[in-house]
Amino acid sequence: MTSTTGPDPTSEEITAADRRVSDYAGAVSSGEQHAALRASVRQLGTLLGEALTRHEGPELLQLVEEVRHRARTPGDGGLDELLAQQDDATAVVLARAFTAYFQLVNVTEQLHRFAELSASDEGPLAASIKKIGAAVEAGKLSLDEVSAALAKVEYRPVFTAHPTEASRRTVLRLLRKVAESVAAGEDPRATAGAQARIDRRLAELVDLLWQTDELRIAKPQPKDESRTAIYYLTQLEGHVVPGLMEELHQQLSEIGIELPADARPLRFGAWAGGDRDGNPFVTPEVTLEVLGQQHDFGLRRLIDLVEEALTEASASTRVVSISDELQASLDADAEALPITFDTVKRLNAEEPYRMKLSFIRVRLIRTRDRFAHGTAHEPGRDYASFDELLADLTLLRESMIASGDTLTANGEILSLIRTATAFGLGLATLDVREHSAKHHAALAELYDRLGELETPYGELDHAERITTLSAEMAGRRPLIGSGRQLEDGQADKSLSLMRTIRKAQDTFGPDVIETYIVSMTHDIDDLFAVVVLAREAGLVDTGSETAPATARLGFAPLFETVAELELAGPLLEGLLSDPSYRRVVKARGDVQEIMLGYSDSSKDAGIAASQWQIHRAQRGLRDIAARHGVSLRLFHGRGGSVGRGGGPSAEAILAQPWGSMTGPIKVTEQGEVISDKYLLRGLARFNLENALAATIEAAVLHTTMSLPDGTLDRWDATMDVVASQGQVAYRALVRDPALVPFFVTATPVDELGKMNIGSRPSKRPGGEGGLDDLRAIPWVFGWTQTRMILPGWFGVGSGLKAAREAGHEEQLKEMYGSWNFFRTFLSNVQMTLSKTDLAIAARYVDTLVPEDSRALFEVIKAEHALTVAEVLRVTGESELLEHSPVLRQTLALRDAYLAPLHALQVSLLARTRATASEVTAFDPDSDLQRALLTTINGIAAGLRNTG
């Protein structure tokens, strides 16, 4: 942490901070871009109206406008009466009209947001590296220290399959084309003829959007979810990352730092096909299919990149010389690939770099064919791993450098090396996640077969399991004899998964699956259990005092509740103190991954306690890892909404405790946030650059405490009050027996479960249907649909009030002005409060909740009023978003179109629940269901950051 106490923030600093909030809101903050945005929205709204008239008739367009007009004054009852008169088929059209409007507004907002962000003379990387350069000039750091810190930097966004992206991939592609056409139309260089063509194309795309069904007919499978991630990853590989890595290279060179060609400051991860926790559709077979799919698309893209480089590799031996090593490599290639050699020799015999790239291209094609058909690796004819490809590319570049051609060596070929290094052969590294209980169930079966424990394994407590499993890891014996068959049970399933991981690594390379994440980690026996199972499949050898361990897989605990986060430090101490486990970590390069769960901890204890405990846990983990000589890879499981840890990524990174960012960092990218950040290439570039710049800045500059003695202790004590009293208020709400019936009736959470937006069930299996069984995603999504959005703010007001009444008011203001963590926390809460609308929420409560269950709404309203008042008291503002008037206008504009959707949703929920039959699955032929689920889509599109 580098913040220091000092004067109140300047108006410029406040404006910059509020712009961070506007970035998260998905809006623009400058008057110029807001004017351009409104012009685009008017144009798209007109085109949508014309499409509606063409397909549905002028009467429907008139009805849409009447509903929108009446929604501005809902209190007179006119809107309710009008909506009640519409049949289900008409309700579908109404819902689709407002949903399509928001889809168009969103994509043009993204376009203008990027235009605003890119107008700055200094990008995020330039700004962060300038700070590092200033520190070097001031003698605070040496270039060697900077280089050493950069060598450890790795920012890895992990694309997950969490079901909060309600839009189909087909719709997203159309919207990206709409944005491209809008941008082309705003280009002042466009001629009259070009403008006419652009306008016609834009009208066509809007019409196609209206013709496209935004609801999925079938529930997506893990392979479908993987294709969505692949769609974004291939776009990033082809159009975003090459330029970003070149920018990083350029900026670092400005301060005298040479970024190695094979440096990997940026990587990508994926969960679709590997996240098994609660998803019965992710089987070992599916995992292999998804990996095959990733590598098929990844190799296609690599082949394209090599072909692009090949067209420019025209250097002739009549002009340049090549290294002996490259010549030897070409001779080996000619022997291994004689047909390719005969083909390229005739045309390119004097162009060695083109020849080498031709051989590389053929080997990549053959690698793709090998993966597709499951054939054996042929040395020299395909690639066994990414390292072989990297060696070939590096050899080619080093030959250029040796002959004095540094300009070409640092051009297209270096860009190819950097891009390939970021994505590997398969675009992203897949994580595997499984529930801790599954591993203990498997071991119970194995130990019961042996019959050697006095107490059955399933009846052991944590301490007894720790003793048993620690001895098991040290003993190194197999639990299953050679050739012995397992019965069909959990042991067979768990070991099948381990064997699948080994097969995947054997097939695709050692980095294809790197980490096994254990969800619901309560104690160190939960990690020991999975290590023992991995050993049975040959993935781990725990070694001994005289023999080192080998580990093809790393293991990461996932801390998901506040109680688990409080014990994270002692648990890591226990893990690293066990000799066998410590040898496994050493075998993994002395890197221990820890996953921090924002969603369930927030659902468990409220946003204030969750955010604070995660922050404190990282400090403890940092210190313990340092004592053991271990580098942490922290994996932040953040959702899209504030209630699930969301918010601007760069600000979140810079708000981490000092010294906690000296190793790699992983961050989940979930749901609708993926399309919001990565759908448009320009915005994808900015978001990646912003996060990478923050990671570099934190890794280099935020490594030691720089606050005056005692300052952080005072702030900690104040934040302890905010978090503890916030937790008390929040748990009083969620533990009220009336909460579950209130939530289920006031929100469309049950209906959400019928939407075909994810393969994983919305509730955990085997539960009794209460709040504990509901996953955090539908918990947040449901509250958001009704505009209560309480997971993002409930309890904060009570916590701030308690701290103020305890005499900490001035300290709270000091914290807001000088502490990144606290300022980011309150900024995110303020954004959520600005999207909360309890007048709209009252419509849901009054119409859908039985009268004897409505009392909780008064509690919610009281805490909301308190939170708004206390937040404003700390920030010194008179109203929410006071310093972002343009953003307030944008949100008000959205509300004008959200109000009719909310009113329609309430009406449709009432109709649905009035039907006699229980609906258990989505019926694509039911107009009532289609209309209701379309309103869910539309409200999600209108609010953004919903889950």
Side-chain angles (χ1 to χ4, degrees):
M1 193 70 58
T2 59
S3 301
T4 58
T5 55
D8 291 338
T10 65
S11 59
E12 290 79 9
E13 291 170 332
I14 292 173
T15 301
D18 284 325
R19 180 164 295 182
R20 293 201 309 261
V21 177
S22 74
D23 291 346
Y24 181 51
V28 299
S29 59
S30 71
E32 178 184 354
Q33 286 301 326
H34 186 68
L37 170 62
R38 290 185 70 93
S40 295
V41 169
R42 281 194 299 271
Q43 179 187 20
L44 293 172
T46 298
L47 293 175
L48 179 60
E50 292 171 356
L52 181 59
T53 300
R54 278 192 297 273
H55 292 279
E56 310 296 338
E59 298 82 6
L60 263 300
L61 178 59
Q62 184 178 351
L63 177 61
V64 168
E65 289 302 310
E66 186 176 358
V67 169
R68 186 168 67 90
H69 175 72
R70 293 197 188 188
R72 294 175 180 173
T73 54
D76 62 1
L79 180 59
D80 291 339
E81 183 180 353
L82 178 63
L83 292 175
Q85 294 170 359
Q86 310 308 316
D87 59 24
D88 294 344
T90 304
V92 172
V93 178
L94 281 172
R96 292 193 66 224
F98 287 109
T99 298
Y101 172 82
F102 278 123
Q103 289 169 333
L104 293 169
V105 167
N106 283 348
V107 78
T108 192
E109 269 189 355
Q110 290 171 336
L111 179 68
H112 289 92
R113 189 159 95 244
F114 170 65
E116 179 178 271
L117 294 168
S118 60
S120 172
D121 294 333
E122 187 175 68
L125 276 173
S128 290
I129 293 173
K130 181 187 286 186
K131 294 178 186 177
I132 295 171
V136 172
E137 288 183 10
K140 297 177 180 178
L141 287 169
S142 69
L143 288 178
D144 287 343
E145 287 173 323
V146 174
S147 295
L150 288 172
K152 299 178 182 178
V153 166
E154 180 192 295
Y155 174 69
R156 190 189 312 184
V158 179
F159 289 68
T160 74
H162 284 295
T164 58
E165 170 57 89
S167 297
R168 293 176 58 204
R169 196 163 60 247
T170 299
V171 171
L172 295 174
R173 286 196 184 100
L174 277 174
L175 292 172
R176 194 184 72 189
K177 292 178 180 179
V178 166
E180 291 169 352
S181 295
V182 170
E186 293 180 350
D187 188 340
R189 298 168 298 177
T191 64
Q195 190 65 57
R197 290 191 297 273
I198 293 167
D199 290 345
R200 189 220 166 269
R201 175 60 171 161
L202 198 54
E204 176 192 5
L205 291 169
V206 173
D207 201 86
L208 281 171
L209 182 66
W210 181 258
Q211 295 179 50
T212 303
D213 188 356
E214 58 277 286
L215 296 179
R216 295 181 175 93
I217 299 302
K219 197 172 187 67
Q221 296 300 306
K223 282 186 69 175
D224 303 316
E225 294 168 330
S226 175
R227 286 192 192 97
T228 297
I230 287 169
Y231 170 74
Y232 290 106
L233 289 166
T234 52
Q235 293 297 310
L236 292 173
E237 185 173 18
H239 305 286
V240 175
V241 169
L244 174 58
M245 296 307 296
E246 185 176 350
E247 173 76 5
L248 176 61
H249 171 81
Q250 174 62 32
Q251 293 300 330
L252 287 174
S253 68
E254 294 287 332
I255 63 169
I257 298 290
E258 180 69 25
L259 183 69
D262 60 352
R264 208 172 190 181
L266 181 64
R267 292 181 63 184
F268 295 88
W271 267 24
D275 183 10
R276 298 167 55 85
D277 183 14
N279 192 338
F281 303 106
V282 179
T283 63
E285 295 76 19
V286 164
T287 298
L288 287 175
E289 288 174 7
V290 163
L291 288 172
Q293 184 172 259
Q294 280 186 206
H295 282 76
D296 181 62
F297 280 92
L299 284 163
R300 284 190 208 178
R301 191 63 209 140
L302 274 176
I303 292 165
D304 289 343
L305 292 173
V306 169
E307 288 176 346
E308 291 172 17
L310 192 151
T311 61
E312 295 184 6
S314 55
S316 170
T317 52
R318 294 181 182 273
V319 181
V320 302
S321 61
I322 64 171
S323 67
D324 293 341
E325 291 81 4
L326 179 58
Q327 184 59 60
S329 174
L330 287 170
D331 294 341
D333 288 337
E335 183 176 349
L337 299 166
I339 297 176
T340 302
F341 175 66
D342 289 342
T343 301
V344 299
K345 178 178 65 173
R346 184 173 60 85
L347 297 174
N348 310 123
E350 296 179 345
E351 297 173 337
Y353 298 137
R354 182 167 280 167
M355 287 187 71
K356 184 60 184 176
L357 287 168
S358 296
F359 286 127
I360 290 172
R361 173 182 172 275
V362 169
R363 290 184 70 178
L364 287 171
I365 291 171
R366 293 180 64 85
T367 303
R368 181 168 169 250
D369 290 342
R370 173 167 65 87
F371 290 160
H373 300 105
T375 54
H377 164 57
E378 296 180 89
R381 293 171 60 81
D382 58 20
Y383 288 112
S385 67
F386 173 75
D387 287 344
E388 288 189 2
L389 169 64
L390 180 60
D392 266 354
L393 293 171
T394 301
L395 181 66
L396 191 153
R397 179 172 180 266
E398 288 176 346
S399 177
M400 293 176 175
I401 293 172
S403 65
D405 187 12
T406 56
L407 194 61
T408 305
N410 289 330
E412 191 70 17
I413 191 67
L414 179 57
S415 177
L416 173 58
I417 290 172
R418 293 201 193 284
T419 303
T421 300
F423 290 93
L425 300 180
L427 297 173
T429 297
L430 186 71
D431 289 329
V432 170
R433 180 173 74 143
E434 183 59 283
H435 197 290
S436 60
K438 296 293 182 70
H439 310 130
H440 291 302
L443 287 174
E445 292 177 13
L446 295 180
Y447 276 110
D448 286 350
R449 280 167 40 117
L450 294 174
E452 63 183 26
L453 298 179
E454 293 183 6
T455 303
Y457 182 89
E459 297 177 16
L460 299 179
D461 60 23
H462 283 294
E464 292 168 328
R465 287 199 305 225
I466 289 169
T467 300
T468 300
L469 295 175
S470 179
E472 192 66 58
M473 289 192 298
R476 304 177 67 187
R477 64 160 182 177
L479 288 176
I480 306 171
S482 176
R484 297 190 64 180
Q485 297 296 316
L486 292 174
E487 297 178 1
D488 185 18
Q490 187 56 51
D492 184 54
K493 292 176 182 176
S494 293
L495 291 173
S496 175
L497 173 60
M498 294 297 179
R499 288 189 290 267
T500 296
I501 293 172
R502 180 169 182 167
K503 180 178 180 180
Q505 292 179 338
D506 290 342
T507 303
F508 301 110
D511 292 341
V512 64
I513 297 175
E514 188 177 72
T515 306
Y516 192 113
I517 299 167
V518 181
S519 59
M520 286 298 169
T521 297
H522 302 296
D523 210 330
I524 60 176
D525 59 313
D526 294 327
L527 268 292
F528 289 173
V530 74
V531 171
V532 169
L533 290 170
R535 185 193 65 184
E536 294 299 308
L539 288 168
V540 170
D541 180 341
T542 54
S544 66
E545 293 181 359
T546 57
T550 58
R552 299 176 60 174
L553 191 65
F555 306 94
L558 167 53
F559 301 118
E560 298 180 79
T561 67
V562 166
E564 290 161 4
L565 287 164
E566 289 173 348
L567 296 173
L571 189 148
L572 180 62
E573 180 69 45
L575 283 174
L576 297 179
S577 297
D578 183 89
S580 299
Y581 188 84
R582 182 64 184 87
R583 288 192 293 269
V584 170
V585 174
K586 185 175 182 61
R588 297 296 298 171
D590 277 326
V591 175
Q592 173 63 57
E593 184 169 319
I594 303 283
M595 185 168 184
L596 304 169
Y598 288 68
S599 302
D600 283 292
S601 62
S602 180
K603 175 171 168 275
D604 166 51
I607 185 71
S610 168
Q611 296 279 296
W612 181 228
Q613 194 53 54
I614 287 172
H615 189 84
R616 298 209 75 161
Q618 288 180 80
R619 294 185 194 170
L621 293 167
R622 170 200 66 199
D623 296 342
I624 291 166
R627 284 202 301 271
H628 286 271
V630 166
S631 177
L632 285 181
R633 182 193 292 124
L634 290 175
F635 187 179
H636 297 266
R638 305 169 73 232
S641 65
V642 171
R644 295 187 53 242
S649 296
E651 298 307 320
I653 290 168
L654 291 172
Q656 301 309 307
W658 63 265
S660 65
M661 293 290 297
T662 55
I665 179 176
K666 295 166 65 175
V667 179
T668 51
E669 299 283 27
Q670 302 187 5
E672 81 292 335
V673 172
I674 295 177
S675 62
D676 187 49
K677 293 173 69 172
Y678 300 111
L679 180 64
L680 303 187
R681 292 167 185 170
L683 206 52
R685 161 64 187 267
F686 176 83
N687 283 310
L688 271 182
E689 181 178 345
N690 206 22
L692 180 58
T695 303
I696 290 171
E697 184 176 332
V700 177
L701 298 179
H702 296 190
T703 58
T704 59
M705 164 75 83
S706 60
L707 289 168
D709 291 342
T711 299
L712 193 58
D713 290 338
R714 289 189 292 105
W715 291 354
D716 285 353
T718 301
M719 195 61 211
D720 283 342
V721 177
V722 174
S724 63
Q725 292 307 304
Q727 177 175 315
V728 168
Y730 177 84
R731 284 189 169 167
L733 174 75
V734 298
R735 292 179 177 177
D736 190 313
L739 188 277
V740 170
F742 178 88
F743 176 62
V744 170
T745 54
T747 74
V749 64
D750 282 347
E751 290 74 14
L752 172 65
K754 298 163 193 152
M755 288 187 73
N756 292 321
I757 60 174
S759 65
R760 190 170 74 161
S762 62
K763 295 181 179 179
R764 293 186 171 90
E768 299 178 358
L771 180 60
D772 290 342
D773 303 320
L774 186 70
R775 297 191 184 278
I777 296 168
W779 167 252
V780 174
F781 203 106
W783 288 117
T784 303
Q785 287 280 310
T786 67
R787 299 295 290 278
M788 290 185 236
I789 328 183
L790 63 83
W793 56 263
F794 197 96
V796 174
S798 292
L800 291 173
K801 178 185 177 184
R804 175 173 56 80
E805 292 181 342
H808 299 303
E809 182 168 11
E810 292 307 311
Q811 195 150 282
L812 286 168
K813 294 177 181 179
E814 177 189 53
M815 290 158 60
Y816 182 69
S818 302
W819 190 12
N820 277 343
F821 165 76
F822 189 67
R823 185 175 183 86
T824 300
F825 167 64
L826 277 197
S827 294
N828 289 339
V829 169
Q830 185 175 187
M831 185 66 251
T832 307
L833 289 170
S834 70
K835 290 186 175 184
T836 301
D837 189 325
L838 295 188
I840 287 176
R843 180 181 288 272
Y844 286 83
V845 175
D846 293 343
T847 305
L848 303 171
V849 178
E851 192 168 349
D852 58 359
S853 298
R854 295 177 191 171
L856 271 185
F857 191 50
E858 298 304 315
V859 176
I860 293 169
K861 288 194 293 185
E863 180 65 25
H864 177 265
L866 177 63
T867 303
V868 171
E870 293 294 335
V871 166
L872 294 179
R873 192 162 185 155
V874 172
T875 63
E877 298 174 345
S878 59
E879 61 180 328
L880 296 173
L881 304 179
E882 178 182 342
H883 295 286
S884 296
V886 177
L887 175 57
R888 289 207 312 275
Q889 285 181 322
T890 301
L891 295 178
L893 176 65
R894 284 175 172 270
D895 276 344
Y897 286 86
L898 275 167
L901 266 176
H902 285 295
L904 182 58
Q905 185 177 89
V906 170
S907 175
L908 293 169
L909 282 169
R911 288 191 210 181
T912 301
R913 294 170 184 179
T915 57
S917 58
E918 173 70 17
V919 179
T920 59
F922 173 55
D923 178 4
D925 296 322
S926 167
D927 284 335
L928 179 57
Q929 287 188 54
R930 292 183 65 81
L932 178 56
L933 297 187
T934 302
T935 64
I936 292 175
N937 262 359
I939 292 169
L943 285 172
R944 315 281 279 281
N945 315 107
T946 55

